Amino acid sequence: MADKQSSQGQLFASPAPMAHATSQSSFEEMMHQPSPQEKKDTSNTQTPAPKPATSTKSDNIVWNHLTATIKPTLLAEAELILLTIFTGIQDAVSFPDYHCFASNQTGNTVFLMLALVLPELNGKMFITANIGAALGFFLAAGWLTGQLSHIIGPRNRLWLILCNCIQAALVFSAGAIQYVYGVDLEGSRAIAVIGLLAFASGSQVVQSRSLAMTEISTAMATAAWVDLLIDPRLFTFNNRPRTRRIVFLLALVVGALLGAAIYRTVGSSVAILVSGGGKLIVAFMYLFNEFEKPKVEDSTV
């Protein structure tokens, strides 16, 4: 009977240590909980979130500037006038050296028709192969540049800079060939020089159309002379198209005179290299042209 009572006492007395252990562990957990000050200090020591990169914004500004559409302003007129001067330099040396024009295709077209009807004049008045190369490369460059301009944007700043850099590289290559090998009236080197110069000129003439300044073609003078003479507002003070034509014709004359002077003093290769350097200057100037702001259409509700 005593054993039964003792066993029952043990049965009811055994949970007491367990409850004591549970309460002790809860007390320890409460003792180890961080205070509000400790929580604040812990939050202050956390690694700060990385700041967003600021280079993306500046990159977008540069890219937007390079791909902007250039406005046909006074600076654009000055750039076309400079290109006209350098074109005059090229034609002033291409005809004495190769009996053809690198840029002015009116004369080349007439000479080519003469070559078809009067082939005996080949070598005396003109070189048929040179004329054909000049006209062919000029037309090819005009077609290629014009069609790509429709896709890229005719007044896209980066496109105009790229075109001028390519043109300058072509002109420099032609000048380098002449500087190293001299001037050959006929043959593969003559075709190479003529082709490089004519291709650069064909691409250049497209720019006057792209910038909506047809009065400054940078190459052909016949239309400018005629349009100037028949202008009904020829003597009007405020006549921008008339003024553009006059300045263009003067620039072409100045370029031809400079080309002839350089040709006579230091040679045609130097004149061609000067023309290539001028194209690079214009390419750099395109960085500073004003651009057209995108039109914001008003939304109607």
Side-chain angles (χ1 to χ4, degrees):
M1 187 69 178
D3 295 339
K4 185 176 180 180
Q5 291 176 353
S6 62
S7 61
Q8 290 178 354
Q10 290 177 358
L11 179 63
F12 289 101
S14 58
M18 185 180 297
H20 176 72
T22 303
S23 62
Q24 185 176 359
S25 62
S26 300
F27 178 75
E28 291 177 352
E29 290 178 358
M30 292 176 61
M31 292 297 294
H32 285 85
Q33 285 183 355
S35 63
Q37 183 64 30
E38 290 177 348
K39 290 181 178 180
K40 184 177 180 180
D41 296 340
T42 305
S43 62
N44 291 337
T45 57
Q46 292 179 354
T47 305
K51 295 181 179 180
T54 58
S55 60
T56 304
K57 184 176 181 180
S58 60
D59 292 344
N60 289 338
I61 293 175
V62 173
W63 179 251
N64 291 336
H65 180 75
L66 289 176
T67 56
T69 300
I70 287 179
K71 293 175 64 175
T73 59
L74 185 61
L75 179 58
E77 292 184 19
E79 290 159 350
L80 291 178
I81 291 300
L82 286 175
L83 290 176
T84 301
I85 293 175
F86 302 126
T87 299
I89 293 176
Q90 290 184 29
D91 275 345
V93 300
S94 64
F95 191 81
D97 285 343
Y98 304 106
H99 294 183
C100 70
F101 297 101
S103 304
N104 189 353
Q105 300 305 317
T106 304
N108 288 339
T109 303
V110 174
F111 283 143
L112 189 59
M113 297 305 102
L114 286 175
L116 294 176
V117 180
L118 302 171
E120 62 272 12
L121 296 179
N122 181 33
K124 299 177 182 179
M125 184 179 297
F126 49 80
I127 307 297
T128 305
N130 296 355
I131 294 171
L135 182 59
F137 278 101
F138 182 93
L139 296 177
W143 173 80
L144 181 62
T145 306
Q147 295 303 319
L148 288 177
S149 297
H150 295 318
I151 301 172
I152 300 171
R155 285 185 280 141
N156 181 283
R157 188 192 308 274
L158 189 59
W159 171 241
L160 292 174
I161 293 174
L162 179 63
C163 284
N164 274 270
C165 289
I166 294 175
Q167 295 166 22
L170 296 176
V171 175
F172 278 134
S173 299
I177 294 174
Q178 274 200 356
Y179 184 80
V180 174
Y181 299 103
V183 177
D184 296 328
L185 182 60
E186 298 181 69
S188 59
R189 280 197 289 267
I191 297 296
V193 173
I194 295 168
L196 291 169
L197 294 177
F199 197 93
S201 297
S203 179
Q204 173 188 297
V205 170
V206 175
Q207 292 184 30
S208 66
R209 302 297 192 267
S210 300
L211 292 172
M213 298 181 190
T214 56
E215 300 89 359
I216 309 175
S217 66
T218 73
M220 287 74 71
T222 304
W225 280 116
V226 174
D227 291 339
L228 175 65
L229 296 176
I230 66 173
D231 190 348
R233 301 175 60 243
L234 179 61
F235 300 104
T236 304
F237 179 76
N238 187 13
N239 186 349
R240 193 66 168 271
R242 181 271 327 271
T243 305
R244 284 177 179 173
R245 295 186 186 100
I246 292 176
V247 176
F248 159 66
L249 292 170
L250 290 175
L252 195 61
V253 170
V254 170
L257 291 174
L258 285 175
I262 298 173
Y263 181 88
R264 184 173 184 176
T265 53
V266 291
S268 57
S269 61
V270 177
I272 293 175
L273 293 175
V274 169
S275 178
K279 287 181 175 292
L280 282 182
I281 293 175
V282 174
F284 177 75
M285 291 175 63
Y286 277 131
L287 291 172
F288 305 98
N289 286 69
E290 296 181 31
F291 61 90
E292 293 182 350
K293 296 181 180 180
K295 297 181 179 179
V296 179
E297 297 182 358
D298 296 332
S299 59
T300 57
V301 179

